[in-house]
């Protein structure tokens, strides 16, 4: 069941009609920006041993996700420099999910511990990261329903009162 307190996205209001004639919130305008990819070694340090290989893979996964998502979001959502930390956290979340899934693949869902068989800790961690990922997907408009709530930068029109012209 839909949440009755949640507002409809502006596109849905326009599509379904606005019988109450309430003003439609068109969103916030951000200045266009070219986002620079963060240095992933700040988050995934270059350390010796097995953890170094894990961190290197995390850097590669995060970097690949950044390069995949940012160009799309620049066109569809009009992201700006204020969104850098959200995008960085999103990419870290993707990398950590990959790390946890690899851990589960190697060691299994259940592990033999001091008290017998117990759940692999990575299963709990990956669940928490997936919950956070769902929030980032909604915030950034990376799912079909979330995209419906976003307004494309091109849809703003060519206003003379635009502060970024």
């Amino acid at each position: 069941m839909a949440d009755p307190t949640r507002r409809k996205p502006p596109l849905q209001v326009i599509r379904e009609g606005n019988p109450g004639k309430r003003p439609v919130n068109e969103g916030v305008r951000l200045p266009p920006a070219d986002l620079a990819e963060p240095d992933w070694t700040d988050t995934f340090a270059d350390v010796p041993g097995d953890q170094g290989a894990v961190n290197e893979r995390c850097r590669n996964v995060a970097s690949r996700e950044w390069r995949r998502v940012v160009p799309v979001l620049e066109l569809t959502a009009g992201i700006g420099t204020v969104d850098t930390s959200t995008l960085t956290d999103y990419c870290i979340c993707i990398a950590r999910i990959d790390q946890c899934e690899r851990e589960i693949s190697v060691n299994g869902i259940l592990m033999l511990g001091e008290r017998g068989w117990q759940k692999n800790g990575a299963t709990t961690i990956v669940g928490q990261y997936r919950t956070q990922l769902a929030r980032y997907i909604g915030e950034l408009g990376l799912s079909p329903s979330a995209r419906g709530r976003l307004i494309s930068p091109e849809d703003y029109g060519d206003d003379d009162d635009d502060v970024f012209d």
Side-chain angles (χ1 to χ4, degrees):
M1 184 173 163
D3 183 3
T5 60
R6 187 174 188 176
R7 291 182 166 212
K8 288 182 182 179
L11 189 60
Q12 183 179 358
V13 171
I14 293 167
R15 187 175 49 237
E16 294 176 358
N18 189 3
K21 306 291 186 229
R22 289 181 206 90
V24 179
N25 182 6
E26 294 189 12
V28 176
R29 298 180 195 184
L30 293 175
D34 290 327
L35 299 179
E37 185 174 351
D39 181 12
W40 298 111
T41 55
D42 291 342
T43 304
F44 307 109
D46 194 11
V47 294
D50 291 340
Q51 188 60 43
V54 170
N55 285 355
E56 182 179 354
R57 180 176 171 88
C58 286
R59 284 193 298 269
N60 292 335
V61 169
S63 179
R64 187 171 55 239
E65 187 67 15
W66 178 278
R67 284 182 266 126
R68 183 183 76 85
V69 170
V70 168
V72 173
L73 290 176
E74 285 175 341
L75 292 175
T76 60
I79 58 172
T81 54
V82 296
D83 303 314
T84 303
S85 62
T86 303
L87 281 167
T88 302
D89 287 346
Y90 165 78
C91 293
I92 291 170
C93 190
I94 292 287
R96 292 297 186 198
I97 288 172
D98 178 72
Q99 180 182 359
C100 288
E101 291 295 346
R102 290 178 60 79
E103 162 68 22
I104 293 168
S105 295
V106 170
N107 295 318
I109 293 175
L110 297 176
M111 297 176 64
L112 189 58
E114 293 177 4
R115 299 181 188 162
W117 290 98
Q118 50 192 333
K119 182 170 69 168
N120 186 338
T123 59
T124 303
I125 295 168
V126 77
Q128 293 169 343
Y129 273 114
R130 286 190 187 281
T131 300
Q132 190 61 39
L133 178 66
R135 289 190 183 119
Y136 289 132
I137 286 172
E139 289 290 322
L140 296 171
L142 295 174
S143 71
S145 63
R147 279 191 296 274
R149 293 189 298 269
L150 293 178
I151 297 173
S152 174
E154 290 84 28
D155 291 344
Y156 290 130
D158 191 17
D159 297 339
D160 291 333
D161 61 346
D162 190 3
V163 295
F164 303 115
D165 282 343

